[in-house]
């Protein structure tokens, strides 16, 4: 028996074959019915959706508003310039790093310079406060623990007042990280969406198809992996070079800073095998971003550029920063005895 619904003829559920009503119910040889186990892929897909599995968070990120906005920026640059995608990726990276991260990096150096210039005053306050606490501890017969806690609490308050007075709290120097890292994530995910089959299209051609023919040199297909490993290794080398330049700037690093430096070195090396498993479009962006980071690091060592950005002079500043950097690099890595 059939019935009509919305212009279509349908069979009622009661007269459908048993297997059509529930594909998990199968007849047995004894004439009974049993429920078969669902296939593994079905269980995996259901559990991933119901329990917020490992794919759900990435799907939410890939379809988020920031990633979609990044995709629109890339598409807009590509449409406005008419450049191939490899040049478009490079141009967008340079524009974003120059317009966003360079000013933030200059602001970071501005804050750190003011904090560095406060160190003599902080040391002077610490010396006088230590003497005052020692006198008060003798008068009131404080224990060593009470005297130390009083010193630390008062010192934190006085240092905080100095930061407020000069408007240079060290936390302000971290704003670069809070902007640069999310931007790096959004760009990477947007390029991955394009490389794996984005829904966007231009002039009737999908972005994935355009990326497949808009590469250059040894990576003509930006949706494929770099089988030569040239791009991944280049990313690792540039990031290591940035870390070493930072380490050469610091004289007498604390134990914590040393551990952080080793950790970042390990991450830079880990980026090589990671970059070898993602499309070349993403690795090209990582390479352009790292090159811009290296350029910004070197630029912010220039005394003329620092004066242009009104970064205060410090005792650690040098009139010949590049010569000093080369000498330190040569002494550490080339003429080691």
């Amino acid at each position: 028996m059939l019935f009509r619904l919305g212009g279509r003829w349908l069979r009622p559920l009661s007269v459908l074959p048993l297997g059509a009503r529930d594909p998990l119910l199968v007849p047995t040889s004894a004439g009974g019915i049993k429920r078969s186990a669902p296939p593994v892929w079905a269980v995996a897909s259901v559990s991933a959706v119901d329990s917020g599995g490992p794919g759900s968070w990435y799907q939410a990120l890939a379809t988020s508003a920031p990633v979609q906005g990044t995709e629109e920026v890339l598409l807009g640059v590509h449409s406005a310039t008419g450049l191939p995608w490899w040049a478009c990726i490079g141009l967008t990276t340079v524009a974003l790093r120059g317009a966003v991260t360079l000013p933030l990096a200059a602001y970071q150096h501005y804050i750190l310079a003011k904090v560095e210039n406060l160190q003599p005053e902080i040391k002077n306050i610490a010396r006088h406060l230590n003497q005052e606490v020692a006198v008060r501890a003798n008068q009131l017969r404080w224990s060593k623990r009470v005297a130390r806690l009083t010193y630390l609490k008062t010192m934190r308050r006085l240092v905080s007042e100095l930061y407020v007075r000069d408007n240079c709290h060290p936390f302000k120097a971290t704003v670069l990280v809070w902007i640069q890292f999310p931007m790096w994530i959004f760009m990477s995910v947007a390029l991955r969406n394009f490389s794996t089959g984005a829904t966007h299209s231009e002039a009737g051609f999908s972005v994935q198809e355009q990326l497949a023919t808009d590469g250059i040199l040894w990576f003509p297909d930006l949706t494929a992996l770099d089988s030569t490993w040239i791009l991944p290794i280049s990313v690792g080398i540039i990031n290591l070079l940035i870390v070493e330049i930072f380490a050469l700037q610091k004289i007498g690093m604390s134990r914590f800073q040393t551990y952080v430096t080793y950790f970042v070195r390990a991450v830079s090396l880990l980026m090589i095998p990671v970059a070898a498993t993602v499309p070349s479009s993403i690795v090209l962006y990582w390479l352009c971003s790292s090159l811009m980071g290296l350029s910004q690091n070197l630029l912010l060592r220039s005394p003329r550029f620092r004066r242009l950005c009104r970064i205060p002079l410090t005792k650690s500043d040098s009139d010949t920063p590049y010569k000093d950097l080369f000498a330190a690099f040569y002494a550490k890595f080339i003429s080691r005895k």
Side-chain angles (χ1 to χ4, degrees):
M1 181 179 67
L2 302 176
F3 66 96
R4 188 177 182 86
L5 178 61
R8 298 177 60 188
W9 290 99
L10 303 176
R11 185 187 299 272
L13 181 63
S14 58
V15 298
L16 288 176
L18 183 61
R21 273 182 275 169
D22 190 345
L24 301 182
L25 296 179
V26 296
T28 63
S29 57
I33 298 173
K34 70 175 183 178
R35 178 176 290 271
S36 65
V40 175
W41 62 266
V43 176
S45 61
V46 171
S47 62
V49 173
D50 293 344
S51 62
S56 60
W57 67 267
Y58 181 82
Q59 185 64 24
L61 174 63
T63 58
S64 64
V67 172
Q68 292 180 355
T70 304
E71 293 176 0
E72 294 300 330
V73 169
L74 287 167
L75 290 172
V77 172
H78 185 255
S79 298
T81 61
L83 294 172
W85 271 106
W86 69 266
C88 181
I89 292 172
L91 177 62
T92 305
T93 305
V94 171
L96 288 176
R97 293 292 299 241
V100 179
T101 63
L102 180 57
L104 291 177
Y107 179 71
Q108 180 188 55
H109 281 250
Y110 172 82
I111 295 296
L112 294 177
K114 297 187 73 172
V115 171
E116 182 178 343
N117 288 337
L118 279 177
Q119 295 311 305
E121 188 173 354
I122 291 175
K123 291 180 180 179
N124 187 45
I125 291 175
R127 183 174 63 255
H128 286 86
L129 179 62
N130 190 33
Q131 296 173 355
E132 292 179 7
V133 170
V135 172
R136 185 61 61 88
N138 285 332
Q139 292 176 349
L140 302 178
R141 296 181 180 180
W142 288 347
S143 65
K144 290 184 178 180
R145 180 176 179 276
V146 172
R148 179 171 178 78
L149 290 177
T150 302
Y151 169 81
L152 293 176
K153 181 178 179 181
T154 308
M155 192 64 194
R156 280 195 296 267
R157 178 176 59 82
L158 294 175
V159 171
S160 179
E161 290 175 358
L162 290 179
Y163 290 153
V164 172
R165 185 196 71 185
D166 288 5
N167 192 23
C168 62
H169 196 284
F171 183 77
K172 292 182 177 181
T174 65
V175 65
L176 174 63
V177 177
W178 299 113
I179 299 298
Q180 180 175 321
F181 185 69
M183 186 172 69
W184 185 84
I185 292 292
F186 297 150
M187 279 286 292
S188 300
V189 176
L191 289 172
R192 187 181 188 279
N193 287 346
F194 286 169
S195 301
T196 57
T199 57
H200 297 81
S201 62
E202 291 182 342
F205 297 96
S206 70
V207 180
Q208 185 182 25
E209 293 174 345
Q210 295 175 8
L211 287 172
T213 58
D214 267 2
I216 192 175
L217 300 176
W218 67 90
F219 52 99
D221 184 356
L222 291 174
T223 65
L225 309 183
D226 182 7
S227 59
T228 66
W229 282 57
I230 295 178
L231 287 176
I233 293 176
S234 299
V235 169
I237 291 175
I238 297 299
N239 287 332
L240 276 176
L241 190 57
I242 295 174
V243 175
E244 296 307 325
I245 290 177
F246 174 81
L248 291 173
Q249 284 181 281
K250 300 296 182 180
I251 300 176
M253 288 193 301
S254 65
R255 180 177 298 181
F256 175 75
Q257 289 176 324
T258 302
Y259 289 155
V260 170
T261 302
Y262 280 118
F263 173 76
V264 178
R265 284 172 179 156
V267 172
S268 300
L269 292 175
L270 184 62
M271 284 292 293
I272 296 176
V274 172
T277 62
V278 298
S280 297
S281 60
I282 302 176
V283 192
L284 177 62
Y285 162 65
W286 290 353
L287 179 60
C288 294
S289 180
S290 297
L291 286 171
M292 282 297 297
L294 177 61
S295 301
Q296 290 179 7
N297 192 299
L298 294 174
L299 180 62
L300 285 166
R301 294 176 66 91
S302 168
R304 183 176 299 180
F305 186 78
R306 292 175 71 88
R307 286 195 300 269
L308 180 64
C309 297
R310 298 182 180 180
I311 299 175
L313 290 173
T314 64
K315 288 185 176 181
S316 61
D317 287 344
S318 171
D319 294 332
T320 57
Y322 303 115
K323 182 179 179 180
D324 297 342
L325 180 62
F326 178 79
F329 188 87
Y330 181 85
K332 183 175 181 179
F333 297 103
I334 300 178
S335 64
R336 297 176 61 178
K337 297 182 180 179

